[in-house]
């Protein structure tokens, strides 16, 4: 299995992340998002709209998963992480991951009330490559 550094490097190369929430009936809801803007240890930071359906779901139930994959000619590689999401309006992290083009979505800039940060904290994961998969716990992630 790959090391934590190798998996993080793999994740940083991806441009899209699939991220799941749990709806009010207990069913998973999946969507594609732009890759995380910041990765720190087992925490992944995404930007999104406070008014979105998924944000409302995570505020009620913080369980989540994220999935990254790469498909090449004869190789498919993927990393799924499960954990929790914290929806935050913390000004310092909003400023840290803000990008100039974000004003297209958030007209009021960093202080736009519809701009929030999702802080995903991974607990465990599953890695797949070359027809083999392996589960791991973040505490054991070397």
């Amino acid at each position: 299995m790959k090391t934590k550094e190798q998996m993080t490097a793999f994740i940083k190369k991806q441009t899209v992340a699939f991220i799941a929430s749990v709806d009010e009936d207990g069913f998973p809801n999946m969507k594609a998002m732009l890759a995380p803007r910041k990765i720190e240890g087992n925490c992944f930071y995404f930007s999104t709209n406070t008014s979105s359906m998924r944000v409302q779901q995570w505020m009620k139930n913080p369980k989540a998963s994220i999935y990254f994959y790469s498909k090449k000619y004869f190789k498919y590689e993927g990393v799924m992480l499960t954990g929790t999401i914290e929806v935050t309006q913390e000004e310092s992290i909003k400023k840290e991951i803000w990008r100039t083009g974000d004003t297209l979505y958030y007209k009021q800039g960093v202080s736009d009330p519809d701009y929030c940060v999702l802080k995903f904290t991974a607990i465990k994961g599953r890695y797949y490559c070359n027809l083999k998969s392996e589960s791991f716990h973040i505490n054991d992630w070397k």
Side-chain angles (χ1 to χ4, degrees), residues 8-110:
T8 301
F10 167 78
I11 288 169
K12 286 181 177 180
K13 290 179 188 173
Q14 309 317 308
T15 57
V16 173
F18 292 90
I19 188 165
S21 57
V22 178
D23 70 15
E24 56 280 348
D25 296 319
F27 290 98
N29 287 208
M30 181 76 61
K31 74 176 275 179
M33 288 185 70
L34 294 174
R37 294 197 172 176
K38 176 182 175 183
I39 300 173
E40 184 177 66
N42 63 326
C43 295
F44 299 75
Y45 297 82
F46 299 86
S47 68
T48 196
N49 297 83
T50 309
S51 60
S52 74
M53 178 181 78
R54 299 286 182 310
V55 165
Q56 303 314 305
Q57 290 173 343
W58 285 310
M59 290 174 78
K60 292 176 185 167
N61 182 346
K63 290 181 180 177
S65 69
I66 56 177
Y67 187 76
F68 303 91
Y69 81 97
S70 173
K71 182 183 180 297
K72 297 193 171 117
Y73 296 107
F74 297 103
K75 181 180 180 182
Y76 180 94
E77 185 174 9
V79 176
M80 181 203 58
L81 300 170
T82 57
T84 58
I85 282 191
E86 174 190 350
V87 179
T88 181
Q89 291 280 352
E90 186 180 317
E91 196 76 18
S92 62
I93 190 64
K94 286 172 69 172
K95 285 180 181 178
E96 184 177 349
I97 70 167
W98 179 263
R99 293 190 182 151
T100 305
D102 288 346
T103 52
L104 180 65
Y105 308 102
Y106 312 107
K107 303 294 182 205
Q108 298 174 39
V110 173

